[in-house]
Amino acid sequence: MAAPMLRWGCRGRRWAFARVDGGSCHRRGAPTGSTSNRIRGQSSVAQQPLHTAQKPRKGEHKWAAVVGLEIHAQISSNSKLFSGSQVRFSAPPNSLVSFFDASLPGTLPVLNRRCVEAAVMTGLALNCHINKKSLFDRKHYFYADLPAGYQITQQRLPIAVNGSLIYGVCAGKKQSQVIPKMVRIKQIQLEQDSGKSLHDDLRSQTLIDLNRAEGQLRVDANISVHHPGEPLGVRTEVKNLNSIRFLAKAIDYEIQRQINELENGGEILNETRSFHQKLGCTMSMRDKEGKQDYRFMPEPNLPPLVLYDATSLPAGADPQQVINIDQIRETLPELPSVTREKLVQQYGMLLEHSFTLLNEVGLLEFFQNVIKETRAEPKKVTSWVLNTFLGYLKQQNLAVSESPVTPSALAELLDLLDSRTISSSAAKQVFKELWKREGKTPGQIVSEKQLELMQDQGALEQLCHSVMEAHPQVVMDVKKGNPRAVNKLIGLVRKATQSRADPVMIKEILEKKMSL
């Protein structure tokens, strides 16, 4: 009850679609009623596009989908939004309930400063306009997990509005190209959370836990389809989606269901639906044709929330009694979009590589530590970190923090490669040895396995001469201009040196001898 959460909302986005077949869902067993956990948040809502366009087949009509997301996100705080009760996951039911949480007469809400600061920080991170004055409202409705009969929210004037979020969409044949997209954030608002309803079907009863709803993230998706150039279609709302995977599945299914329904002469009802995780489909919960009157009214027990910036801060104001927007802005860490832009500009890497570095926990720090300790070019470091290093991690399902290869070890290996002490194939062999966790340095491995490149120019020239004499037909092919024959000769020389000869040096010697 009164748990600290943020609710953020965005304007819907549109995509073009061809007609989609399918979209039916058959229930197995008894119909599903309300979900066991009802969660309402202190959060705000965001609408994001999660679909890509499809080309219509010949003779088909194009469809456009509009999706808006209402995201309820829990604020990380020690106490609740309007009371001093603790916030603790998996606490015994109703063990963290104050008089205000239980809605006893005469109790008053006290706004949690930490929650306001978190809401401002979220708004700044999402490029929102922070309202220096925001208001709290009462949203009236009856449900057992809301003993006061109303919920404190920010309906009229929320704390932040008009933001945006840039994200990447994978494209291309191999899904390796990342295309940046932007979604608009309509608003962010502080909102009181409800309790949690636990439905016991065996005893036909419902128990209420007023500690708080335990979900850290919940999403409601509003979905509609229409033909481009025509009015928007009737929307449905899919409630209480608690994972990104189920969110994507629910949106995919609901878009297909609506298109299929309309293509077959049916109509879309303005209703609330739930997503059945096992069946992978949405199911009707209740219709929304008769719009519920929440009887919004100003919250009489909370004054307007007033924030300040450097220009409006009163002289001599106690920092503990005011919230300074600019001061919170200074504490923001570097945002991912800024970091990606720096990586592209500083190291000349592809945008998709910058996304990968940031999306894997700890990978960016690993990359930067290697860069600090090696003389190798940034592009070579990028290639080794994203291809070889990350490939080994994924193959063994390890996190970056669990890697047996440290940034220092990889930096030393790249230095050996950069100085042409070893070949690229030998470097991969050394990396494989490093992964065995035997505590050896790249230099020790190179020395023990005699992987150094041949530095004796005379000996290498003699070896090239011997190989040419042993393979006269290949030499003739080279002289005829066959490029594959050159590679074959290089391969033969490297084989004779157990891959210890530099291919570039071998090619230079061979070309010199061919010209004689």
Side-chain angles (χ1 to χ4, degrees):
M1 186 70 187
M5 295 186 73
L6 281 177
R7 181 176 165 203
W8 24 299
C10 308
R11 299 174 178 86
R13 285 291 299 274
R14 305 182 185 184
W15 308 269
F17 292 92
R19 176 183 179 277
V20 182
D21 295 323
S24 61
C25 179
H26 302 283
R27 303 188 187 195
R28 290 177 287 197
T32 304
S34 59
T35 55
S36 58
N37 295 344
R38 283 186 57 137
I39 307 174
R40 299 182 188 87
Q42 255 95 331
S43 277
S44 280
V45 182
Q47 296 181 339
Q48 305 180 26
L50 299 176
H51 245 287
T52 55
Q54 301 177 10
K55 292 183 179 179
R57 293 191 294 265
K58 189 174 181 180
E60 293 180 339
H61 298 290
K62 185 183 290 186
W63 289 95
V66 179
V67 178
L69 302 183
E70 179 178 334
I71 302 175
H72 301 252
Q74 177 184 328
I75 294 175
S76 178
S77 63
N78 295 324
S79 58
K80 299 181 183 180
L81 180 60
F82 294 122
S83 80
S85 297
Q86 278 186 293
V87 174
R88 191 170 75 245
F89 184 75
S90 296
N94 295 311
S95 61
L96 304 175
V97 181
S98 69
F99 290 159
F100 175 79
D101 299 335
S103 301
L104 296 185
T107 57
L108 298 174
V110 178
L111 185 58
N112 186 328
R113 178 191 179 96
R114 157 63 189 158
C115 295
V116 177
E117 292 173 339
V120 172
M121 184 173 289
T122 303
L124 293 173
L126 293 172
N127 303 303
C128 291
H129 168 74
I130 307 299
N131 286 323
K132 292 181 181 178
K133 179 182 178 181
S134 59
L135 305 174
F136 289 96
D137 306 282
R138 286 186 180 182
K139 177 182 178 181
H140 293 85
Y141 63 92
F142 173 77
Y143 200 78
D145 61 11
L146 197 67
Y150 62 85
Q151 179 185 38
I152 302 177
T153 184
Q154 291 190 304
Q155 172 70 13
R156 294 171 296 160
L157 190 58
I159 194 168
V161 295
N162 300 332
S164 63
L165 174 66
I166 297 176
Y167 62 100
V169 175
C170 294
K173 292 183 179 179
K174 296 183 179 180
Q175 295 289 292
S176 58
Q177 181 184 2
V178 177
I179 300 175
K181 298 281 187 178
M182 186 188 76
V183 64
R184 296 171 296 165
I185 310 295
K186 181 182 178 183
Q187 67 188 60
I188 295 177
Q189 64 195 63
L190 286 162
E191 184 175 279
Q192 177 184 15
D193 201 5
S194 64
K196 180 168 66 174
S197 299
L198 305 173
H199 302 289
D200 188 342
D201 294 333
L202 293 177
R203 296 180 176 85
S204 298
Q205 63 181 6
T206 297
L207 304 177
I208 304 297
D209 179 10
L210 294 180
N211 280 354
R212 61 159 294 101
E214 298 296 353
Q216 291 187 335
L217 184 71
R218 188 189 79 249
V219 182
D220 303 332
N222 292 271
I223 305 160
S224 69
V225 299
H226 67 285
H227 290 301
E230 297 182 1
L232 298 181
V234 176
R235 68 179 176 89
T236 61
E237 182 179 24
V238 184
K239 300 282 288 185
N240 296 333
L241 298 161
N242 57 11
S243 79
I244 299 298
R245 183 163 62 95
F246 289 141
L247 171 63
K249 286 186 175 182
I251 291 174
D252 285 342
Y253 177 86
E254 185 59 19
I255 290 173
Q256 294 178 2
R257 184 194 72 83
Q258 291 188 20
I259 292 176
N260 189 61
E261 185 75 21
L262 294 171
E263 291 278 348
N264 287 285
E267 64 175 343
I268 304 301
L269 301 178
N270 181 212
E271 61 181 351
T272 299
R273 301 178 70 87
S274 64
F275 180 69
H276 196 296
Q277 298 176 0
K278 291 183 179 180
L279 298 181
C281 64
T282 63
M283 295 179 173
S284 179
M285 294 173 62
R286 57 184 179 271
D287 72 77
K288 303 177 75 170
E289 292 297 338
K291 187 174 181 180
Q292 187 171 356
D293 182 8
Y294 290 116
R295 295 179 291 119
F296 284 102
M297 61 170 281
E299 169 54 57
N301 294 323
L302 286 171
L305 175 58
V306 179
L307 308 176
Y308 299 91
D309 58 18
T311 60
S312 61
L313 188 66
D318 184 355
Q320 298 301 318
Q321 298 299 318
V322 298
I323 292 179
N324 188 330
I325 300 171
D326 291 330
Q327 193 174 43
I328 294 175
R329 193 192 310 274
E330 292 174 359
T331 65
L332 274 178
E334 186 174 87
L335 299 179
S337 58
V338 177
T339 304
R340 287 193 295 267
E341 185 177 349
K342 284 185 178 180
L343 289 171
V344 171
Q345 292 180 352
Q346 185 174 356
Y347 302 120
M349 67 174 61
L350 297 175
L351 181 62
E352 47 264 37
H353 291 166
S354 69
F355 271 92
T356 305
L357 283 176
L358 266 72
N359 289 346
E360 296 289 337
V361 177
L363 190 60
L364 176 61
E365 183 181 2
F366 185 96
F367 169 82
Q368 291 173 330
N369 287 334
V370 176
I371 286 285
K372 290 176 184 177
E373 299 186 41
T374 185
R375 298 186 301 271
E377 290 292 324
K379 287 187 178 180
K380 182 171 287 187
V381 178
T382 302
S383 176
W384 271 82
V385 169
L386 296 185
N387 296 325
T388 307
F389 177 72
L390 188 57
Y392 270 73
L393 288 177
K394 290 187 177 297
Q395 189 177 25
Q396 300 188 21
N397 196 27
L398 295 176
V400 174
S401 60
E402 299 171 314
S403 166
V405 178
T406 65
S408 297
L410 181 55
E412 182 183 343
L413 174 59
L414 293 178
D415 281 343
L416 292 172
L417 183 59
D418 187 65
S419 63
R420 299 176 73 173
T421 302
I422 58 175
S423 65
S424 57
S425 59
K428 292 179 180 178
Q429 188 176 343
V430 173
F431 189 89
K432 186 176 181 180
E433 292 296 319
L434 287 172
W435 204 263
K436 294 180 180 179
R437 302 176 185 265
E438 295 179 352
K440 297 178 182 178
T441 66
Q444 290 172 332
I445 296 171
V446 168
S447 179
E448 289 177 5
K449 295 189 174 293
Q450 298 182 342
L451 297 174
E452 303 96 336
L453 288 173
M454 288 182 64
Q455 303 297 332
D456 190 334
Q457 178 86 8
L460 188 55
E461 287 181 357
Q462 183 59 43
L463 189 59
C464 289
H465 181 74
S466 300
V467 170
M468 290 173 67
E469 285 188 337
H471 300 85
Q473 184 58 50
V474 180
V475 174
M476 289 295 295
D477 292 340
V478 172
K479 291 182 177 180
K480 291 178 181 179
N482 186 346
R484 298 179 64 181
V486 176
N487 293 333
K488 185 173 182 180
L489 274 181
I490 294 173
L492 289 170
V493 175
R494 295 199 71 216
K495 183 177 181 182
T497 62
Q498 296 181 330
S499 298
R500 293 179 59 207
D502 184 357
V504 176
M505 188 179 295
I506 295 173
K507 186 176 182 180
E508 291 174 355
I509 293 172
L510 290 174
E511 288 176 346
K512 183 179 179 181
K513 287 186 175 293
M514 294 288 181
S515 63
L516 296 177

